Amino acid sequence: MTDNRRFILSLSCPDGVGIVAAVSKLVADNRGWIIEAQHHADQEARRFFMRQEILAESLPFEIDEFRQRFATIAEQFQMDWAISDSAQPKRVVILVSKSGHCLYDLLSRWKSGELVVDIPAVISNHEDFRSLVEWHDIPYYHVPVPREQKDLAYEKIAHLFDTLQGDVMVLARYMQILSRQICDRYPGQIINIHHSFLPSFVGAKPYHQAYQRGVKLIGATCHYVTEALDAGPIIDQDVLRIDHTDATADLVRYGKDIEKTVLARGLRYHVEDRVLLHRNKTIVFR
Amino acid sequence: MTDNRRFILSLSCPDGVGIVAAVSKLVADNRGWIIEAQHHADQEARRFFMRQEILAESLPFEIDEFRQRFATIAEQFQMDWAISDSAQPKRVVILVSKSGHCLYDLLSRWKSGELVVDIPAVISNHEDFRSLVEWHDIPYYHVPVPREQKDLAYEKIAHLFDTLQGDVMVLARYMQILSRQICDRYPGQIINIHHSFLPSFVGAKPYHQAYQRGVKLIGATCHYVTEALDAGPIIDQDVLRIDHTDATADLVRYGKDIEKTVLARGLRYHVEDRVLLHRNKTIVFR
Amino acid sequence: MTDNRRFILSLSCPDGVGIVAAVSKLVADNRGWIIEAQHHADQEARRFFMRQEILAESLPFEIDEFRQRFATIAEQFQMDWAISDSAQPKRVVILVSKSGHCLYDLLSRWKSGELVVDIPAVISNHEDFRSLVEWHDIPYYHVPVPREQKDLAYEKIAHLFDTLQGDVMVLARYMQILSRQICDRYPGQIINIHHSFLPSFVGAKPYHQAYQRGVKLIGATCHYVTEALDAGPIIDQDVLRIDHTDATADLVRYGKDIEKTVLARGLRYHVEDRVLLHRNKTIVFR
Amino acid sequence: MTDNRRFILSLSCPDGVGIVAAVSKLVADNRGWIIEAQHHADQEARRFFMRQEILAESLPFEIDEFRQRFATIAEQFQMDWAISDSAQPKRVVILVSKSGHCLYDLLSRWKSGELVVDIPAVISNHEDFRSLVEWHDIPYYHVPVPREQKDLAYEKIAHLFDTLQGDVMVLARYMQILSRQICDRYPGQIINIHHSFLPSFVGAKPYHQAYQRGVKLIGATCHYVTEALDAGPIIDQDVLRIDHTDATADLVRYGKDIEKTVLARGLRYHVEDRVLLHRNKTIVFR
């Protein structure tokens, strides 16, 4: 739909007087129609965050000139900023292992047009989902991750990601711990779904840990991957009530429902440029 | 705390280009420090809504001059608007009947300083809570509502409310249906907690209705009172899971937990000027 | 897995003394190993409900003899009862229209072995999902439902259902109102997902109704279909928080997440014989 | 209400065949009317748990004889067991510090008859709530806990608890870490509300920890106190959604709502003998 094409401006900068005034003056002077706007001032960090969606056709110029004009304001206020184009869907590379519920869910949302992204490839260390993925006309790459050659495998994945011009890598229950190199190479670009309510139950077998501890709610957490295991900035979380009748296998089974929902939600926030990062935390303009 | 005294600006107007720019220019030109800001454009109604909290001491003038200066912008954009002062707590008159859980909860929040309001009076058609209320040094008015003289009773309540210079009337499980006259007299000023997930189970005995229908979640709804029973603009709602083991008496008992939480939340939104009205709906800037 | 094959006994009867004793004596005398057991006495209806899972191999006889022996007790206490075999998965016929999210979700659960059922067919009034369904090696039947020949179409569906020996018919956002005849023919066998928190917003376009009313939570309800529209016994419900920024299209989009989860949960309860009916309500032994 | 006085039988024992049969035979042979019954077999621990509520007047004997008769079965199956009398409310001693929201909430529930317990005393290391508590006609004991004489203080508290014949000690945001001695002395009798979703954020200032980690949900946990800090068996938990706009002070404020609800719920389960302990986990028969 060209007619509701939007430019999405997102920025953060040291907090101060006049930021909103300067940005909105630029947009208003050019008769820009703001569809959605949010800002947030972090009192403690003294930092300001902003996101605006502007109707592309309401502006008298294209995205390049918008960027050029905005650069002056950005410099003045020392902004980290980006302007993206809703007509250019993000390119999402999905990594999957042997659990298919998140993959199925993402494909379903993509197929129905609910999740507006391009999926240039699914990469897996197993062959299990080749047929399903290829039925969706999406290329499937089998990249085994042998225990003694993990770095080589991750190098292959990084190469694929670059070649496919991926914007974001989604670990859809990938079950492999990425190397420090790959984490550092794509900061804020790798999204993981961890099957616990972080920071509880970091690492392997969180449902087993949850069962042992006897918690009454289980959770799932969508977060950016950093080199510190399951410790990256959290995008979204959710929980589900359980009770004493539920064995570990039940937790694994029920947990899937929140894993896929939370991952899809977190990914949507990301590809719609709703997530701004500050140190190890996220500002999510829903 | 004078040092974080804030002016709270809230407005709505026909949507258009330049509103944010105009408002933020006024604030920025006077070096006003915006603590919190939210806006919303209703695409369908083509109406724009905005709320800002500005640090009082950051501005070079007092609230009256702020209002005066703002009036020009307000006229230009045909705004419905108000500027309030966080140092002037809203005056909340509580009406209660024989169920005390919401009253207790509001008093607890008020006493601990969590709910920043003045409570000039509690009014009831019964004597049950006189002692509790008076222990809190709050005047208690017993206004019976005899079946054949309801209008007279409501007239007394309205008179009390006016005399006490009430800003908002809270029906904390008051159990009486207010007259059309009183509803019309205080639009957007009377808040009720209805013990169902509206629009399900309007009117009397909603938990009994819920039990009969066999729902699996019960709810509570905080809304503005209008002359149409339980049909006013909804401020907040919440639900609670139940199951077949719960009899009507259990629903009544468990429901209290969401009633008091939802009422307290809705009231807080209201007294912090976070709720804007548009027709029969609310914009809640949390 | 034969070794955890279970017989599932479910029953209801007028409440009285000695029911549990009689049933558990039969099981215990035959050294039956009870895996799971739940009962419930409805005080108001004075009716008793029970469900037991017994390890098949722990009993010295097969299901037919179990039924035979149980019949004596059943008669004594005037029970409505059934004994089913976990090794005989229920046969689920899915009906779908043009919204595929529930279908995708059910197929994903079935494919991964999470949902243990047979799916002898998917029936649709459109061709949209033929390829997806057939990729799963499930037959797809296109049964158009022309406005003026609905009864004929439903007759075809009923015939298909019977021929395929279906146990349960799932309306996975089927969007057609079944005829009274078909509802009466399969009482307690047709499961629907309605995209609202019933009894709010019965009938067409519930998200539009929800948007108009300005509710702060939207919901989904899984229920048995009866001739009264959206008024059958509720199996499960859930809700999702929304706010003023969400347009109707957002409600439609977000709502899908609870629709598919609630339908899958309700269907699982049903196929595991966890749902007992009493008048217009359900007892769900989770 | 004598006419619905109930005997509450709760037990656990090694799992095996015939337990339910034996127990229900005893009850049925004496024409006992079972109001509510639940059991659970922990497959992993091979242990069986059971709870029954039996109408007192339906049995031909009093509680002492019931206990006597039950002892035979109990011995046969090596049961840990208890039979309690609903007409004998549990004696709950509340410990509080300077945060009053949980205290207020418990007093409100007790006063309205929703929480059926006796409260022989409130104990505090401060004088803040003396007047409120005494207004409720409940004795208030001020037991200071000086840093260098904590053990002496806890000794006083234990002495008071014994003298008052307390059944359960409730730490209603008591903010003091009990000594190992007192924890060991009252196993399964001390209930705490911790203001985080355990096992996340053990120890001091959990909301500050939550803020630092950037979680998207905060929680509260009601658990039995053991010598290991915040590591005892969990009775109930709940969470609340937050976002980037919430400062630590907001988390503290919002968190109170779940703290008081979860504590009240956990306490109710306990005083109704709904909680059975097994190692470090609870079985909660709701």
Side-chain angles (χ1 to χ4, degrees), chain B residues 100-101 104-105 107-109 111-112 114 131-132 135-136 240 245 253-254 256-257 260-261 265 268 272 286, chain D residues 100-101 104-105 107-109 111-112 114 131-132 135-136 240 245 253-254 256-257 260-261 265 268 272 286:
Chain B
H101 54 286
Y104 243 100
D105 186 69
L107 292 175
S108 158
R109 292 172 196 266
K111 182 87 175 167
S112 71
E114 179 197 321
S131 163
L132 174 73
W135 181 86
H136 285 86
L240 196 72
T245 60
R253 188 159 51 122
Y254 302 156
K256 289 176 179 175
D257 283 356
K260 61 194 189 190
T261 311
R265 216 155 56 199
R268 180 169 66 78
E272 293 180 2
R286 275 177 293 182
Chain D
H101 54 285
Y104 244 100
D105 186 70
L107 291 176
S108 158
R109 292 172 196 266
K111 182 85 174 167
S112 72
E114 178 197 322
S131 162
L132 174 73
W135 181 86
H136 284 87
L240 197 71
T245 61
R253 190 160 48 123
Y254 302 156
K256 289 176 180 175
D257 284 357
K260 61 195 189 191
T261 312
R265 213 155 56 198
R268 180 169 67 78
E272 293 179 5
R286 275 178 293 184

